[in-house]
Amino acid sequence: MKQLVLALLLGFSLSACAQSNGGAVAAKPDADVPAADLGKIAAGSPEARARAAVQALGEGVRIERIGPAPIPGFRQVVAGGTVLYVSDDGKYLFQGGLVDVAKRQDLSEAAMAQVRKDILASLPEADRIVFAPKGAPRHTVVVLTDIECGYCRKFHSEIGRYNALGIRVEYLAFPRAGLGSDDYRKMVAVWCAPDRRKALTDAKNDRPVPLASTCTRTPVDMQYRAGLRMGLEGTPMILALDGRMVGGYLPPERLAQRLDALDAP
């Protein structure tokens, strides 16, 4: 059980779309971003026991949030891009969706959405590659993208149509082959380019993007780690600004319909 949960926390979310790392450097979950403020947790409290139970799974498990669970006798913990439930005595832990049957609401997803919202707010807009419609947008989505994956390329090939439907697209980098991979280096070149929009389009169409010699820093590492923290399961990962998961690739008209539904009262 320990090995299973640890695998889920430390990288299982990448398995659906992962490529061979080929010597890529694994991401350090805590790099570039401050640790969660858990210092006010009282010793001997249910929160302290929940923290200890999750930390016992292994080093490198980043805890984003600990609080009361919607079910009695448990704490809800968001860690490593997933939601866990730990009994108040710290003896039992389970992972999975918790559904309010009466309200037909996924409470685990609601917890993840709040964490994603906070993470997105910490990532500067200036570090994103933005394709915006003319005039005020009807909707804005954040898309974690990879330049190699087929559905990411398909999504980008239709960017004009998304914009025409009033959808503003803000790209974040997620080189799914991992840090240090060829995929990663290409995405660094894109984010280093003087015209990032053109460079991204070129890269997604297998046109070379040279790495600018003056480039000393890009946000690719930070955005990649943010994707892990937000529970990325595949690329593209489409999010609303409030952290709600919209899904993977959707054709322009279907994405517009999905966003209209999310905004409906």
Side-chain angles (χ1 to χ4, degrees):
M1 173 64 179
K2 178 177 178 179
Q3 289 79 7
L4 174 60
V5 176
L6 185 58
L8 290 168
L9 287 172
L10 296 182
F12 180 75
S13 62
L14 296 180
S15 63
C17 291
Q19 298 172 348
S20 173
N21 276 8
V25 178
K28 296 181 180 179
D30 291 331
D32 297 335
V33 286
D37 183 12
L38 304 175
K40 296 181 180 179
I41 293 178
S45 66
E47 286 77 13
R49 287 188 285 270
R51 177 176 59 186
V54 173
Q55 290 176 336
L57 296 173
E59 296 181 2
V61 178
R62 179 191 172 95
I63 298 175
E64 304 285 351
R65 181 171 301 181
I66 301 176
I71 49 178
F74 283 81
R75 300 295 102 178
Q76 181 175 264
V77 183
V78 180
T82 191
V83 181
L84 304 170
Y85 297 93
V86 183
S87 60
D88 286 348
D89 60 9
K91 293 182 178 179
Y92 303 100
L93 178 153
F94 72 88
Q95 179 200 33
L98 183 64
V99 176
D100 184 321
V101 176
K103 295 181 180 179
R104 297 179 179 272
Q105 181 183 10
D106 185 337
L107 302 179
S108 300
E109 169 57 24
M112 273 304 308
Q114 184 57 56
V115 168
R116 292 191 204 106
K117 178 181 178 181
D118 294 342
I119 293 171
L120 288 176
S122 73
L123 301 174
E125 184 177 319
D127 288 343
R128 308 176 188 190
I129 300 180
V130 178
F131 288 79
K134 296 180 180 178
R138 288 174 53 200
H139 302 289
T140 297
V141 293
V142 176
V143 180
L144 280 85
T145 192
D146 174 81
I147 62 172
E148 300 288 355
C149 83
Y151 280 114
C152 295
R153 292 185 172 200
K154 183 171 178 58
F155 181 96
H156 192 67
S157 72
E158 300 171 308
I159 195 69
R161 183 59 184 155
Y162 292 110
N163 288 168
L165 291 170
I167 301 172
R168 174 186 170 97
V169 176
E170 300 181 357
Y171 280 121
L172 299 178
F174 193 88
R176 59 194 176 98
L179 301 183
S181 63
D182 287 341
D183 187 22
Y184 164 80
R185 285 186 283 270
K186 291 176 183 178
M187 297 195 79
V188 166
V190 167
W191 258 260
C192 274
D195 186 343
R196 290 176 175 175
R197 287 160 45 99
K198 179 180 184 300
L200 183 64
T201 301
D202 285 344
K204 286 179 179 287
N205 286 281
D206 291 324
R207 293 191 288 268
V209 178
L211 178 61
S213 59
T214 57
C215 184
T216 59
R217 175 195 170 275
T218 71
V220 173
D221 297 56
M222 182 169 59
Q223 292 177 5
Y224 174 83
R225 293 184 178 104
L228 297 179
R229 293 170 59 201
M230 291 189 290
L232 183 143
E233 295 180 352
T235 52
M237 178 188 192
I238 304 175
L239 301 172
L241 289 179
D242 62 5
R244 286 181 293 177
M245 175 77 75
V246 180
Y249 167 78
L250 289 170
E253 286 73 17
R254 284 188 58 196
L255 179 58
Q257 292 169 2
R258 178 75 59 85
L259 294 170
D260 286 340
L262 286 178
D263 288 347

